[in-house]
Amino acid sequence: MSKVNLSIVAVSILLVVGTWAQNPKKALKPPKPNKAQCCDEVRSLKVQVANLTSLLGELSRKQEADLMTVVRQIMDLDKQNRQQEARVTEAESKYSEINNRVEIMQLQTLQSAPQTTTSDAIYDCATLYSKNYKISGEYKLPKDEFLGTPELSVFCDMETNGGGWTLIQRRKVGLTIFSRDWKQYKSGFGSIRGDFWLGNDHIFRLTRQPSVLRIEMEDWEGETRYAEYGLFSVANELNSYKLLLANYRGNAGDSLRYHNNTNFSTFNKDNDKCVDNCAALRKGGYWYNCCTDSNLNGVFYRYGEHMKGTDGITWYGWHGPNYSLKKVEMKVRPVGFQP
Ligand SMILES: *[C@@H]1O[C@H](CO)[C@@H](O)[C@H](O)[C@H]1NC(C)=O
Ligand SMILES: *[C@@H]1O[C@H](CO)[C@@H](O)[C@H](O)[C@H]1NC(C)=O
Ligand SMILES: *[C@@H]1O[C@H](CO)[C@@H](O)[C@H](O)[C@H]1NC(C)=O
Ligand SMILES: *[C@@H]1O[C@H](CO)[C@@H](O)[C@H](O)[C@H]1NC(C)=O
């Protein structure tokens, strides 16, 4: 009996609680918000907004300051960089001055030494190398009646791949025009420390002995490649300085092969194998076929301009027909040269 009564009481209590929970407002009515309270809330919100706004302002000011700091740091770095570059340039010019003095001394010793027999003859940079001149630079090859060679200023590369190289061409400065006539290509033009063509007559003489040709190239990204021909010769003027090549090796591509067995052409002496005047079209003197797979005596185009023309200093096997190289050196030395 008592058990049943208890459960009834429990159920009714639950019911009462449930009813209260369903109507909390009736049981505990909150006070109606009055006008003053509302305005207080609004005011505090306004303060918060104001605080947040000022916080935001502070943050963006801080960001701006950070940005300025970064900009200033970059400018400082740039300045340091330029100072360093200036120092490098200065060092370079000092080095080349010293090098110049060494070369002058070399030339003086060379010229004071009498050349009596032909075995002593100084014929090219390889001979100089074998006489222990091992610094790259400008040398003067003496006149030799027996060999029939005139006095000639040459630039010797005594470092690359064992040294002993006589340069026959260089492109690097870009101020010398290479669109020249037959006569100028015959005797040579330009400056031996800068851009030049040594001259077809001189190249013919140098390559009467079996010679290697090495071509070194650099592009505007600073990458370098080379092409070497184990056999290279140029005929005399009577035979139009015809090119003969063999035994390619290198990583630039075999882009002189197409010019093998062709005569030399200039704009005023069109010996190419084409209806067009290739020398005029490609603005150089070269062994033009119809017309080019390389154009090392073409127009020097600066960075940014170097993809503009098809008459640039091109080597199709590396950068194709529309990319003018930044630097080229062509050099020869006798086959079988021993460093
Ligand atoms: C607003 O900032 C002031 C100080 O600048 C501070 O005293 C106040 O408590 C801040 N109020 C709020 C709502 O953050
Ligand atoms: C090259 O020139 C020579 C004369 O110097 C000429 O006899 C020869 O036919 C020419 N060769 C070509 C392929 O034009
Ligand atoms: C160039 O031509 C000659 C003969 O005319 C040939 O012996 C030589 O292999 C050729 N060179 C190349 C690189 O093809
Ligand atoms: C090189 O340029 C010429 C004309 O300017 C264009 O016709 C040719 O397609 C270009 N070649 C390459 C490989 O970009």
Side-chain angles (χ1 to χ4, degrees):
M1 259 314 249
S2 64
K3 246 188 190 172
V4 172
N5 277 343
L6 262 177
S7 70
I8 288 170
V9 170
V11 166
S12 49
I13 286 171
L14 274 174
L15 275 175
V16 169
V17 169
T19 317
W20 178 79
Q22 273 166 15
N23 301 295
K25 272 179 202 157
K26 267 181 198 165
L28 222 146
K29 214 175 187 180
K32 211 179 175 186
N34 58 28
K35 212 181 170 189
Q37 228 172 342
C38 137
C39 290
D40 275 350
E41 267 169 36
V42 168
R43 212 172 295 132
S44 108
L45 276 175
K46 272 188 180 164
V47 168
Q48 277 180 29
V49 167
N51 275 15
L52 283 174
T53 308
S54 84
L55 209 66
L56 265 176
E58 224 170 273
L59 268 174
S60 78
R61 264 195 302 281
K62 195 172 172 304
Q63 253 174 0
E64 231 169 82
D66 283 352
L67 188 66
M68 286 310 291
T69 313
V70 169
V71 167
R72 222 171 294 129
Q73 280 171 352
I74 288 174
M75 277 162 66
D76 279 353
L77 277 175
D78 193 45
K79 201 170 139 200
Q80 280 172 19
N81 195 22
R82 243 173 290 149
Q83 280 169 349
Q84 235 146 28
E85 254 173 47
R87 250 174 263 144
V88 168
T89 311
E90 202 188 320
E92 269 178 356
S93 76
K94 268 198 194 127
Y95 171 79
S96 90
E97 231 172 78
I98 292 168
N99 204 25
N100 253 342
R101 254 177 261 147
V102 170
E103 282 165 29
I104 288 165
M105 275 154 54
Q106 285 177 339
L107 282 178
Q108 284 167 348
T109 6
L110 204 60
Q111 274 150 10
S112 62
Q115 266 102 52
T116 43
T117 63
T118 45
S119 67
D120 280 344
I122 291 163
Y123 187 70
D124 57 11
C125 295
T127 339
L128 284 171
Y129 189 95
S130 66
K131 291 180 187 297
N132 262 324
Y133 298 97
K134 297 194 173 166
I135 296 174
S136 294
E138 188 178 351
Y139 290 85
K140 196 166 272 178
L141 303 178
K143 182 177 157 147
D144 192 306
E145 309 277 353
F146 185 84
L147 292 170
T149 52
E151 189 178 81
L152 179 65
S153 275
V154 290
F155 196 96
C156 299
D157 173 352
M158 301 303 206
E159 285 142 49
T160 304
N161 210 12
W165 298 100
T166 308
L167 266 71
I168 62 170
Q169 188 252 30
R170 191 196 283 117
R171 309 298 300 273
K172 71 169 182 186
V173 182
L175 299 176
T176 305
I177 288 171
F178 273 62
S179 183
R180 306 244 182 175
D181 64 18
W182 185 262
K183 225 176 121 193
Q184 292 180 80
Y185 268 98
K186 171 186 163 76
S187 50
F189 58 83
S191 93
I192 209 75
R193 289 177 174 279
D195 294 9
F196 68 92
W197 181 253
L198 188 65
N200 289 336
D201 278 348
H202 303 306
I203 299 170
F204 156 68
R205 250 181 248 113
L206 283 168
T207 60
R208 273 188 306 191
Q209 56 184 333
S211 298
V212 178
L213 169 70
R214 184 180 170 93
I215 303 167
E216 282 152 20
M217 298 164 243
E218 187 180 328
D219 68 12
W220 291 97
E221 285 68 49
E223 203 191 322
T224 58
R225 298 270 176 104
Y226 78 99
E228 213 174 275
Y229 292 89
L231 202 62
F232 163 69
S233 81
V234 170
N236 62 12
E237 188 176 13
L238 259 172
N239 291 300
S240 303
Y241 304 119
K242 186 168 155 178
L243 175 69
L244 191 71
L245 284 173
N247 306 335
Y248 162 83
R249 65 186 204 90
N251 57 8
D254 187 3
S255 292
L256 207 52
R257 173 196 288 265
Y258 178 66
H259 304 264
N260 191 20
N261 288 310
T262 61
N263 289 337
F264 200 85
S265 288
T266 57
F267 62 77
N268 65 339
K269 206 163 182 92
D270 181 4
N271 292 325
D272 61 35
K273 299 176 180 170
C274 223
V275 184
D276 292 321
N277 181 335
C278 292
L281 280 175
R282 303 289 194 232
K283 300 193 179 74
Y286 207 57
W287 302 277
Y288 290 111
N289 188 332
C290 188
C291 285
T292 53
D293 196 35
S294 62
N295 189 34
L296 299 179
N297 290 334
V299 179
F300 186 98
Y301 286 104
R302 277 174 202 292
Y303 180 67
E305 306 246 285
H306 66 293
M307 306 229 269
K308 276 197 175 159
T310 52
D311 52 7
I313 304 169
T314 53
W315 189 268
Y316 289 19
W318 184 14
H319 274 302
N322 296 348
Y323 187 107
S324 187
L325 297 167
K326 181 187 175 195
K327 194 175 168 189
V328 177
E329 281 184 359
M330 298 172 75
K331 45 194 81 169
V332 298
R333 82 178 173 198
V335 170
F337 168 83
Q338 297 288 335

